[in-house]
């Protein structure tokens, strides 16, 4: 069974750094792209970027390029999304999703809520 | 890379059919047969209901169907039921191996 399990909710202050994770199981981690999706409170889904864990080839949406870093550690089947300096506007739910079956996300993680507040 | 355009809301009575449109450009919807649709309930992760324009994952009701013409894709829900009340998002592959979502549609069952 394919599963994506994300790290728990985070509460941070503006300017702090953060790295959230998404651990995959039930499939060959290195042969599927895995991506991140943002959903701000009460808003729609936004595609942030994807990574191919086998060679760490990474693509970003222009809106998120330079704002976040996507990485992966294939030895522990885990993808990451990180910020070096959080802003209040980063407050959102973040989902990881496996790209498969010609879809941006055929399997999704449960989401990680990130709250940035002073 | 602008979001794909969906109507903000669509409503229908139980048993009726509704259609949600998703309009993009030749760089996304019109350029690839990789349009997918997601259903999202409040507080839950999105769930894939249509992939590659017309295909349904196993376990998804055949009341959901997809199509595409040019730069516009559509999701039709037939035999509308109360459990279909949710938010629906389209998505598409886009240039340079990126992706884009639609603006989202809230479906209300009257």
């Amino acid at each position: 069974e394919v599963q994506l399990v994300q790290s728990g909710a985070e509460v941070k202050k503006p300017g702090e750094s953060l790295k959230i994770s998404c651990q995959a199981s039930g499939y060959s981690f290195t042969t599927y792209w895995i991506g991140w999706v943002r959903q701000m409170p009460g808003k729609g889904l936004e595609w942030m970027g994807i990574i191919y864990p086998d060679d760490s080839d990474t693509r970003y949406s222009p809106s998120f390029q330079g704002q976040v870093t996507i990485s992966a550690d294939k030895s522990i089947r885990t993808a990451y999304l990180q910020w070096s300096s959080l802003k209040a506007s980063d407050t959102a739910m973040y989902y990881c999703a496996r790209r498969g079956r010609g879809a941006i996300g055929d399997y999704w993680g449960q989401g990680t809520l990130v709250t940035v507040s002073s | 890379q602008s979001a794909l355009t969906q109507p903000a809301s669509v409503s229908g009575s139980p048993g009726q059919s509704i259609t949600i449109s998703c309009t993009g450009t030749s760089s996304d919807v019109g350029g690839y047969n990789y349009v997918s649709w997601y259903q999202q309930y409040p507080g839950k992760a999105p769930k894939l209901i249509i992939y590659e324009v017309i295909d349904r994952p196993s376990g998804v009701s055949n009341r959901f169907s997809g199509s595409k013409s040019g730069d516009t894709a559509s999701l039709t829900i037939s035999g509308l039921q109360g459990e279909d009340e949710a938010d629906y998002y389209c998505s598409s592959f886009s240039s340079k191996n990126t992706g884009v979502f639609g603006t989202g549609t809230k479906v209300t069952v009257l």
Side-chain angles (χ1 to χ4, degrees):
Chain A
E1 178 194 9
V2 174
Q3 283 194 309
L4 299 174
V5 179
Q6 297 185 227
S7 49
E10 301 273 3
V11 180
K12 292 288 191 179
K13 296 186 184 317
E16 291 186 332
S17 62
L18 176 65
K19 192 173 189 178
I20 62 175
S21 66
C22 169
Q23 184 167 44
S25 61
Y27 72 96
S28 176
F29 181 66
T30 54
T31 59
Y32 287 83
W33 292 83
I34 189 163
W36 289 93
V37 176
R38 182 175 79 174
Q39 188 166 39
M40 299 176 77
K43 302 298 184 182
L45 305 175
E46 299 174 271
W47 190 87
M48 301 176 71
I50 51 171
I51 187 165
Y52 193 67
D54 191 44
D55 61 6
S56 292
D57 185 4
T58 310
R59 312 293 169 91
Y60 292 93
S61 162
S63 301
F64 292 94
Q65 179 84 48
Q67 308 304 307
V68 297
T69 301
I70 294 171
S71 60
D73 184 339
K74 57 186 179 183
S75 69
I76 55 171
R77 307 169 60 86
T78 301
Y80 300 97
L81 178 66
Q82 69 179 90
W83 296 259
S84 58
S85 181
L86 287 160
K87 302 185 282 288
S89 58
D90 293 318
T91 294
M93 182 71 81
Y94 293 87
Y95 294 101
C96 62
R98 188 188 81 163
R99 198 177 86 175
R101 285 182 282 190
I104 283 179
D106 63 344
Y107 290 92
W108 293 67
Q110 82 277 19
T112 296
L113 180 63
V114 174
T115 304
V116 184
S117 174
S118 54
Chain B
Q1 191 180 28
S2 299
L4 309 176
T5 301
Q6 298 180 230
S9 62
V10 173
S11 61
S13 299
Q16 286 187 328
S17 293
I18 61 170
T19 296
I20 302 168
S21 61
C22 169
T23 301
T25 70
S26 58
S27 295
D28 38 63
V29 174
Y32 305 88
N33 283 325
Y34 291 127
V35 175
S36 47
W37 290 88
Y38 304 86
Q39 178 189 60
Q40 186 182 34
Y41 293 113
K44 298 295 186 182
K47 173 190 173 185
L48 178 68
I49 57 173
I50 295 287
Y51 65 97
E52 292 183 4
V53 180
I54 61 172
D55 289 328
R56 277 187 311 276
S58 61
V60 172
S61 171
N62 60 7
R63 297 184 299 103
F64 294 95
S65 62
S67 64
K68 191 184 88 165
S69 178
D71 296 340
T72 298
S74 298
L75 172 72
T76 297
I77 309 174
S78 57
L80 197 62
Q81 299 179 1
E83 67 199 47
D84 301 330
E85 191 161 287
D87 294 325
Y88 292 84
Y89 295 90
C90 63
S91 72
S92 174
F93 281 18
S94 187
S95 58
K96 298 181 183 177
N97 201 19
T98 59
V100 60
F101 282 101
T103 50
T105 299
K106 182 177 181 60
V107 168
T108 301
V109 180
L110 302 172

